[in-house]
Amino acid sequence: MKKLFLTCLLTLIAVSMSAQQDKKWYDNFKLSGYGMLQYQGDDKEGSEHNEFNLRLMRLILDGKIGDWDWRAQIQGTNAKGPAEPTVQLVDLYAEWVKYKEARLRVGQFKRAFTFENPTHPITQGWYSYADVINRLSGFGDRAGEKSSGGRDIGIQLQGDLFPASDGHRFLHYQVGVYNGEGVNRKDKDERKDIIGGIWVSPVKGLRIGAFGWNGSHGGMTTMKGTNESVTLNRYCLSAEWDKDEYTFRTEYVHSQGWGVTSPGSGSTTIDYSLGDKADGWYVFGIVPVIKSKLHAKARYQCYRPTKDMDSSKSMYEVGMNYFINKNLEITAEYARVNDRAIADHDNQNYNFVDVELDFRF
């Protein structure tokens, strides 16, 4: 992994230096990236922890060839845990962007599901995406797929229709066909996932949308030891206000389809005790205290792996985001966690903290 990462880094640097010597290339080429450094801790009974962590680092190449935009993105993270870094290609796609009404994207990229999934980690505002997004949108997915950052390999058509006088568009649509196996993986069952979404924007800054997902995850092991595909049927209802540094968003996600005990681990063994339904929701607000400098935030989220409150995990979160400048940010948050899956009722509540230093380049 280290050799792969070093090779990729040297290649990016070499291409960047070459681009700077050719003005035509330089005008259509950009190298950027970001890093996220983290301290995290909790006092969960029997498994207390506090640690410094390298949350993730990304190198991003963006370019343009005629009416096509392209992106290549490499990620390094401690996804497996401290001292077990993972380096992988997360984005590689080209998109035909001649018309705003119809843009065609081909390659590996974010699935067309939920408002939160495609949100950039460094601008999303929290220590992590909401649990329901992580478990039901292709991160550490309930279906057993290895953490894929909400991405898959496929083809997607999207567009924005009906322009308003202030420049925003009243209607957005997107529909994609994907392998259904996550990043850097071929289709295991030759069945494709179909995912689509549509939202309306009555005024600039407001979005109200809905998404649907019909697909499968192949190579799963049954109790009898046989292999089969797990069918996935999911939907999401979403609403968001994002304008003038005020962001409010809420989403509800429902999933039908068998899952595994340890989401995101790459496990392929179906855990029938979880049932075949799960759901969850979140709502948050981020508001400026000092414009472009200091933001206050609060979030409530709940995820139910068996779609009942006895299995639910809820988090009540508050925090602040401080912008030293536009490329350097300190974030901090505290959460009170209620995890009803813990057998000992006296220890179902515990505290959680996260502090990060995030930077762009």
Side-chain angles (χ1 to χ4, degrees):
M1 283 299 181
K2 290 182 179 179
K3 290 182 179 179
L4 173 62
F5 179 71
L6 181 59
T7 300
C8 293
L9 179 60
L10 292 174
T11 301
L12 293 179
I13 293 172
V15 173
S16 177
M17 292 176 66
S18 175
Q20 293 180 44
Q21 295 173 3
D22 185 338
K23 191 174 188 302
K24 186 176 180 181
W25 259 99
Y26 183 79
D27 289 342
N28 296 286
F29 179 90
K30 180 182 178 182
L31 172 64
S32 62
Y34 61 90
M36 307 182 78
L37 312 176
Q38 181 181 62
Y39 169 81
Q40 199 172 87
D42 68 55
D43 61 357
K44 183 178 179 180
E45 184 68 26
S47 60
E48 299 89 343
H49 87 283
N50 72 91
E51 60 189 12
F52 294 102
N53 184 38
L54 305 178
R55 180 178 169 188
L56 62 82
M57 184 280 292
R58 286 184 180 167
L59 291 174
I60 307 166
L61 285 171
D62 289 300
K64 189 173 184 63
I65 305 173
D67 294 327
W68 290 80
D69 289 347
W70 61 265
R71 166 169 285 195
Q73 184 171 197
I74 299 168
Q75 174 177 285
T77 180
N78 278 350
K80 295 182 180 179
E84 295 185 86
T86 297
V87 179
Q88 63 180 346
L89 180 69
V90 290
D91 282 318
L92 182 63
Y93 64 83
E95 184 173 19
W96 184 63
V97 294
K98 186 173 183 178
Y99 302 106
K100 290 184 178 180
E101 294 79 7
R103 303 188 302 276
L104 186 66
R105 181 177 293 186
V106 182
Q108 181 166 283
F109 49 87
K110 287 280 192 176
R111 291 173 166 114
F113 194 69
T114 78
F115 283 166
E116 181 146 313
N117 178 20
T119 306
H120 199 299
I122 208 168
T123 58
Q124 188 260 349
W126 298 92
Y127 82 93
S128 176
Y129 297 95
D131 275 355
V132 67
I133 302 299
N134 284 325
R135 300 309 183 206
L136 303 181
S137 190
F139 287 77
D141 202 277
R142 164 186 165 86
E145 162 188 310
K146 284 190 175 181
S147 183
S148 296
R151 295 170 169 84
D152 206 341
I153 303 173
I155 184 169
Q156 175 182 293
L157 178 68
Q158 63 179 336
D160 297 284
L161 308 175
F162 312 123
S165 58
D166 61 4
H168 91 281
R169 302 258 172 159
F170 285 112
L171 180 68
H172 175 89
Y173 72 91
Q174 54 190 41
V175 60
V177 181
Y178 311 86
N179 281 342
E181 305 297 342
V183 297
N184 307 319
R185 305 187 76 178
K186 296 181 179 180
D187 199 337
K188 292 183 178 180
D189 59 7
E190 298 184 4
R191 296 167 56 186
K192 298 296 180 282
D193 286 17
I194 300 175
I195 304 175
I198 188 169
W199 63 76
V200 295
S201 181
V203 296
K204 190 172 184 178
L206 176 64
R207 296 191 295 170
I208 301 170
F211 302 83
W213 179 341
N214 175 259
S216 66
H217 185 59
M220 303 301 291
T221 305
T222 67
M223 293 179 66
K224 296 180 180 180
T226 58
N227 289 332
E228 66 176 41
S229 295
V230 172
T231 298
L232 301 177
N233 292 297
R234 294 174 175 175
Y235 69 84
C236 174
L237 303 175
S238 310
E240 178 189 74
W241 172 263
D242 186 8
K243 188 178 180 183
D244 298 330
E245 299 185 30
Y246 288 85
T247 304
F248 301 92
R249 183 162 66 242
T250 184
E251 296 192 280
Y252 171 80
V253 187
H254 182 276
S255 176
Q256 183 271 321
W258 299 110
V260 299
T261 304
S262 302
S265 66
S267 170
T268 60
T269 303
I270 298 171
D271 187 348
Y272 292 97
S273 68
L274 296 175
D276 71 339
K277 291 182 175 63
D279 71 350
W281 57 88
Y282 71 88
V283 57
F284 77 68
I286 301 177
V287 301
V289 177
I290 302 173
K291 191 172 178 63
S292 302
K293 201 69 176 176
L294 180 66
H295 291 173
K297 59 186 181 180
R299 178 171 70 173
Y300 166 70
Q301 59 168 310
C302 179
Y303 173 61
R304 306 191 300 177
T306 60
K307 202 187 173 183
D308 60 52
M309 292 309 295
D310 288 340
S311 68
S312 68
K313 180 181 178 181
S314 299
M315 296 183 70
Y316 305 82
E317 303 163 73
V318 294
M320 307 286 282
N321 297 335
Y322 177 69
F323 301 87
I324 299 172
N325 57 50
K326 66 178 183 178
N327 292 322
L328 188 61
E329 175 186 0
I330 297 173
T331 71
E333 61 189 87
Y334 162 81
R336 183 66 173 171
V337 184
N338 174 247
D339 187 350
R340 298 191 183 186
I342 297 175
D344 185 352
H345 289 196
D346 292 335
N347 294 314
Q348 288 182 343
N349 298 305
Y350 59 91
N351 302 296
F352 169 88
V353 295
D354 182 275
V355 180
E356 294 186 20
L357 177 66
D358 303 334
F359 59 91
R360 307 168 187 261
F361 55 89

